[in-house]
Amino acid sequence: LTLAGPREARGEQELRFQPPPAQRPVRLFTEDELARYDGRKEDEPIYIAVKGVVFDVTSAKEFYGKGAPYNALAGKDSTRSVAKMSLDPADLTYDTTGLTEEQLRSLDETFSNVYKTKYPIVGYTARRILNEDGSPNPNFKPEDQPHFTIKDEF
């Protein structure tokens, strides 16, 4: 809300609603682009995708940076690995086919209680936003993350 109008001079105030600033567009990451942010380059941010949501985990370089314990998860959609709590190269994928109910529950809890609460969302994987044929997914909805804003790195 802003104060405006000639009434201000007379001590009266008129309140006017100002709409919030337009949100920045959602950033889309291809697998190749996401791979650039794998923590190997010191001057680059570190990104990890879980459930197609790309998080900036640079603040946790000690976990995701070069040579760190969870570096294998960086630069890719590691949804299956997070669900299984696995660093097996075969699990470093977005594919959740065949996961147990317990693993899917663990994935949802880790996604909501760790990634969404600790790290800002910087975009989404192409697989989450687009259909197989490349057309826009009409059911896509950005994640709600009220304590962060989409990072504008360009």
Side-chain angles (χ1 to χ4, degrees), residues 114-134:
V114 176
Y115 289 100
K116 282 182 68 174
T117 60
K118 286 186 174 184
Y119 307 111
I121 295 171
V122 293
Y124 297 87
T125 61
R127 191 173 307 285
R128 170 128 182 201
I129 296 177
L130 303 175
N131 294 319
E132 292 282 325
D133 65 0

Side-chain angles (χ1 to χ4, degrees), residues 81-132:
S81 290
V82 170
K84 292 179 73 176
M85 300 293 174
S86 166
L87 294 175
D88 183 326
D91 291 327
L92 297 171
T93 179
Y94 64 89
D95 188 9
T96 58
T97 305
L99 292 178
T100 66
E101 288 299 317
E102 184 178 334
Q103 289 168 331
L104 292 171
R105 230 180 348 269
S106 174
L107 171 63
D108 288 341
E109 287 173 12
T110 304
F111 177 78
S112 296
N113 300 329
V114 176
Y115 289 100
K116 282 182 68 174
T117 60
K118 286 186 174 184
Y119 307 111
I121 295 171
V122 293
Y124 297 87
T125 61
R127 191 173 307 285
R128 170 128 182 201
I129 296 177
L130 303 175
N131 294 319
E132 292 282 325

Side-chain angles (χ1 to χ4, degrees), residues 14 28 44 79 106 119 121 129 148:
E14 178 184 334
L28 179 79
E44 291 277 345
T79 300
S106 174
Y119 307 111
I121 295 171
I129 296 177
F148 287 116

Side-chain angles (χ1 to χ4, degrees), residues 23 116-117 121 143-150:
Q23 286 192 341
K116 282 182 68 174
T117 60
I121 295 171
E143 289 294 323
D144 178 31
Q145 196 180 35
H147 55 289
F148 287 116
T149 56
I150 293 179

